[in-house]
Amino acid sequence: MRFYINYDVNIACRVILQEQLELLNIKYKLLPLGGFEISSTVSKEKFNALKENLGRYAINIVDNQRKHLFQQIKETIVEIIFDKDKFPNTNISYYLSEKFNLSYGHLASVFSEYTYTTIENFIIIQKIEKVKKLIIEEKLNMTEISYELNYSSVAHLSSQFKKVTGLTPTVFKRIVEKRKQLID
Amino acid sequence: MKFFGLYKNTQVFKIALIVAIVVIGYIASVFYTQMQKLDTSVELIASSNKTQYELEKLLSIMGNYEMSLRNYIITQNEVYLEDRFLNRGEIEACIKNLKKIAGNDSAKIKDIDSLKKLIDYRFKLFRDLLLIQKSPRKNTSELYIKLLESSSCTESMHAFVYKRINAEISKIKRYNTNHQFELNDSIISAFLLVLLSLLILLLSFNKMNVDINELKKTNDELKFTNLSFKNAEQIAGFGHWKYNLVKNTYTFSDNFYRLMGVEPRAFEPSLENVGKFLHPDDYNSVMEVHKQSLIDHQPTSIMLRYLLQDGTVKYIMSVGSFTRNSNGDLVKIGVNYDITAQYKKTLEIEESNKQLKTINAELESFNNIVSHDLQEPLRKIQMFVSRLEEKEIDLLTPNGKEYFVKIRLAANKMQTLLIDLLNYSRVAKGDKIFVKLNLKDLVEQCIQDLSVDIEEKKAEIEVMDLPEINGIGFQMEQLFVNLISNSLKYSKENIPPKISIKSEKISGKEMYNSKIISNTDYHKIVVSDNGIGFKQEYADKVFQLFKRLETDSKYTGTGIGLAICKKIMENHNGFIKVKSRPSVGTKFSLFFPK
Amino acid sequence: MTNNLTPLQIFLADDDEDDRIFFSEAIEDIRMKNKLTLFNNGKDLMDYLLDSDASLPDILFLDLNMPYKNGLECLKEIRADNRFKDVSIAIYSTSSSEEDIENTFIEGANIYIKKPNDFSELKKVIKGVFQMNWQFHISGLNKETFFFSI
């Protein structure tokens, strides 16, 4: 028998982080976007133990400031795309520079350093990723999906989908279905 | 009309005839009794007359006696007395006759008896008178008394006889009147009888005539039908046979024999004799099927072969089924027909189909060679060209650079040609999986795919409501991509192309393959542009493979695109038509079956 | 590009020597940190991969039409082995038939590249593939639905 699970990475990570911090008796305060603050001083040994324990879950403590900023930009984008309510009314570049209180140019250069791509491109890829998820779920039709993700039309959505994947949504869906059959 | 109808009905006629016969019988019996009655009345009259005659005879004899006696008394001459007893016998005979006539009638016999007493008494008076006359002492007064007595006796005898005669006369009169009436009745009865008989005779005759005519007509028709059937059998190459399961007899039609290559009735109709003509390989199976059917009475249908005496083989289809004939016997009736020609044609078609398949397979592998194996080295050429262009172009002389550009263009041209060819063969062969397609969505998708070209040409494309059709998805996409890019390609210089794609009502005049096309059977979709157009006389040419109208180098093309469109429409059981005018525009009409 | 990124491990299995040369020249030109290993056919590739000590590639480029063992066979074998689940497989073929594209995706390919006929185009394509693959790598996108046809 085959099962699939549905999970929220953010919550999972946060729970693991809390567990590990409590295990080592470290006093902490959780911050948004995967950040946390240690209130009292912690010995080097304890901090390394925490790093090691979290590493087993493939969770890494980022101590590099630029890398941390990149992570935050990335997570902000993922968040606003996957949660419709958080989607800004202004354009995203303005929203990001407001949020981090840094120039967009700086954000963009930090971002490209780690991704081989631009923020705009990353947004598109993330959106299409969400589209894929919705197509597979089959709860919404293409019109509803395009509305959900702020596309002006189904045609616009389809053409962006084609640009990113090289496939039409229909062919994509067909491939996923046939693949599932093959695996089963 | 109604009467005529009844007249034609044999049943009604039969009933009428029976009624008529009964009526005749009745009338005849009435007539018979009347004749009987007439006979008795004639007899009665005859006996009356006879009675009269005998009575008068008696009277005259008695008269003669009296006269002779008177003559003797007056003359005293014995001569008058000589034959006085002679007539006594005659009187006896008369009485006897009267009695005979009277028969059993007691009243009459009584009358005759009293008449006889009178006569006897009279004769006694004769004797007394004679004795007195002859006596020597003749007493004249006594004579006179006796004479007077004699006279009164004669008187009363006369009175008696005349009374009888009168009675007889009045009786005759009565009989006569009756007789007259009965005679009249009989005449009427007889007349009616004759009239009725005549009528029935006439009707019967007429009816018989009609029946015979009809029978003759039916007979002629039957003869004709038989003849045409025989002819038809011969022309159509079939023969029929019958087998009576009760009497165990076979019947074959003339052409049944001819099918076996022999003269009609060349042999006794029997299963055995037919078996001689069956192909040895088929003999057992055919016999088995036939015999099995005689058991279960199921219809049969088998293909068999005749091996004729001259060695030719005929393919025969034999079908049989069961029915009952007019006697109620179960009969198997069958038809054998010659399918040699059809069978051979089928074999030929199968053979040519096989050949076609081989040719198709060859063609397909040829297409694979063209599309893949030729593309491979071509791509290499293009790659090396692009490598050289990037790195080494500056080392060439201007002339060399020019040649180099030409090499690249030629290679690119060859590439598009190969891709188009591949597309054409794919359309021609491809899997034909039909699904419901929303044409409007599909066309929008095609426009998306062509967006680069559309923007470059600044084209305006208008898509109106389009119907849903059953189609092969990728072929439909290819169709509209080809048509739109065709319109983009053959647009006028410096004038942005305007392309419209819409559904149109079919007007009554639309024809295809001399068939009228109507809205009920077809969707019509029109793709029109404001491009350079062409002369209508080339309308058929544009759909031919490798046929290009524009040879101007600024219009690039392989001459395959519209041929693909035509092929796609054929795959969808539809068709494509084009109307064009030079420098006005072109209008392609697509017809899809509903 | 900076040096913050670990070099990409790239494998290419193609029986055509010219194509191998084009590919390695193109990959050199795009100046992404990478390590390219070439295989002359499918059999050599599989022999190498099935050796348990082998270091695994980030992206494997597979030609479809190869002697001994063609691309599709390799694809099926690799996808049947859980050890290679993180390897992105890019089909690198002359064929542009939709049937081939769909089939390879169904069999577990992530990327389908029709061999370009222009060198600069080839560079563009490879770059695009690297970027897309990197997105899936760093953003933890669903590899099950990673299809990219170019």
Side-chain angles (χ1 to χ4, degrees), chain B residues 18-68:
Chain B
I18 290 167
V19 169
I21 286 166
V22 169
V23 168
I24 288 174
Y26 174 72
I27 293 174
S29 70
V30 167
F31 184 67
Y32 178 76
T33 46
Q34 277 174 350
M35 284 326 241
Q36 207 84 330
K37 270 188 189 166
L38 213 60
D39 209 30
T40 40
S41 63
V42 167
E43 242 171 62
L44 282 171
I45 290 168
S47 75
S48 279
N49 279 338
K50 225 171 175 182
T51 311
Q52 237 177 299
Y53 165 74
E54 294 294 340
L55 286 172
E56 271 176 7
K57 200 174 163 190
L58 267 179
L59 272 186
S60 77
I61 293 170
M62 293 311 287
N64 276 343
Y65 268 92
E66 253 185 59
M67 215 151 59
S68 304

Side-chain angles (χ1 to χ4, degrees), chain B residues 219-376:
Chain B
N219 202 28
D220 284 350
E221 275 170 13
L222 213 62
K223 265 188 194 163
F224 181 73
T225 309
N226 243 337
L227 193 70
S228 2
F229 187 64
K230 273 186 185 172
N231 280 335
E233 278 200 347
Q234 205 161 355
I235 292 162
F238 71 89
H240 77 270
W241 49 273
K242 279 182 264 183
Y243 172 62
N244 188 318
L245 275 78
V246 178
K247 294 188 180 126
N248 190 24
T249 52
Y250 281 89
T251 319
F252 298 154
S253 76
D254 287 356
N255 213 45
F256 186 83
Y257 288 96
R258 287 194 199 101
L259 281 182
M260 289 185 279
V262 295
E263 286 299 309
R265 286 179 283 282
F267 52 78
E268 276 299 301
S270 75
L271 190 59
E272 235 173 69
N273 283 333
V274 174
K276 289 174 194 157
F277 290 87
L278 285 179
H279 195 285
D281 294 350
D282 294 346
Y283 184 88
N284 287 335
S285 60
V286 170
M287 287 299 169
E288 199 179 306
V289 169
H290 179 61
K291 279 172 183 162
Q292 180 59 36
S293 82
L294 297 183
I295 296 165
D296 58 24
H297 302 164
Q298 291 302 308
T300 54
S301 172
I302 37 171
M303 206 181 100
L304 49 91
R305 281 169 295 173
Y306 283 160
L307 182 58
L308 304 190
Q309 283 156 344
D310 61 5
T312 51
V313 173
K314 265 190 189 174
Y315 291 83
I316 300 290
M317 190 70 207
S318 178
V319 291
S321 61
F322 290 83
T323 181
R324 287 189 187 275
N325 70 6
S326 51
N327 295 332
D329 295 351
L330 192 62
V331 175
K332 184 177 181 185
I333 297 180
V335 171
N336 282 15
Y337 48 98
D338 189 350
I339 54 163
T340 312
Q342 291 103 298
Y343 186 76
K344 284 195 173 152
K345 214 168 262 171
T346 314
L347 283 184
E348 268 171 36
I349 289 171
E350 269 173 19
E351 183 56 33
S352 53
N353 261 347
K354 235 185 258 168
Q355 280 177 2
L356 265 178
K357 266 185 191 153
T358 332
I359 291 169
N360 259 341
E362 277 169 15
L363 217 63
E364 213 169 284
S365 68
F366 175 76
N367 266 325
N368 271 332
I369 291 165
V370 168
S371 53
H372 291 117
D373 302 1
L374 284 188
Q375 274 198 71
E376 205 49 43

Side-chain angles (χ1 to χ4, degrees), chain B residues 409-428:
Chain B
L409 287 177
N412 289 350
K413 171 100 194 258
M414 184 161 173
Q415 195 203 7
T416 40
L417 201 62
L418 288 179
I419 290 171
D420 281 356
L421 255 185
L422 181 66
N423 283 337
Y424 182 79
S425 71
R426 227 180 250 162
V427 165

Side-chain angles (χ1 to χ4, degrees), chain C residues 1-127:
Chain C
M1 292 294 153
T2 66
N3 291 329
N4 286 342
L5 305 164
T6 46
L8 276 175
Q9 286 284 338
I10 307 292
F11 283 12
L12 167 69
D14 194 330
D15 63 311
D16 189 307
E17 198 196 346
D18 292 335
D19 276 331
R20 288 199 303 270
I21 292 169
F22 291 141
F23 192 87
S24 44
E25 282 179 357
I27 228 171
E28 246 170 61
D29 277 14
I30 58 175
R31 287 173 299 143
M32 269 180 168
K33 262 210 304 194
N34 69 73
K35 192 171 169 295
L36 174 66
T37 314
L38 297 170
F39 297 89
N40 291 352
N41 57 58
K43 195 178 165 296
D44 287 358
L45 170 76
M46 289 317 292
D47 287 350
Y48 177 85
L49 285 178
L50 294 173
D51 177 0
S52 55
D53 294 338
S55 68
L56 297 182
D58 293 304
I59 310 174
L60 164 64
F61 290 83
L62 262 180
D63 184 17
L64 279 184
N65 197 9
M66 285 188 290
Y68 308 125
K69 198 167 262 181
N70 69 33
L72 199 65
E73 285 169 311
C74 295
L75 174 65
K76 283 181 187 171
E77 280 182 38
I78 293 167
R79 281 302 175 227
D81 192 333
N82 207 35
R83 220 155 37 95
F84 309 119
K85 66 176 174 10
D86 289 331
V87 177
S88 296
I89 298 177
I91 300 300
Y92 184 60
S93 164
T94 354
S95 164
S96 62
S97 94
E98 295 194 20
E99 203 185 331
D100 282 346
I101 297 173
E102 274 190 45
N103 270 342
T104 50
F105 279 136
I106 291 164
E107 293 294 343
N110 303 105
I111 298 153
Y112 192 100
I113 303 164
K114 173 169 168 17
K115 286 181 182 174
N117 45 24
D118 184 283
F119 190 72
S120 53
E121 185 67 27
L122 177 61
K123 284 194 286 190
K124 225 167 94 187
V125 165
I126 294 174
K127 207 170 153 185

Side-chain angles (χ1 to χ4, degrees), chain A residues 75-86:
Chain A
E75 274 155 29
T76 309
I77 292 168
V78 172
E79 202 177 65
I80 59 174
I81 285 165
F82 276 75
D83 190 344
K84 195 170 181 285
D85 297 336
K86 290 183 180 153

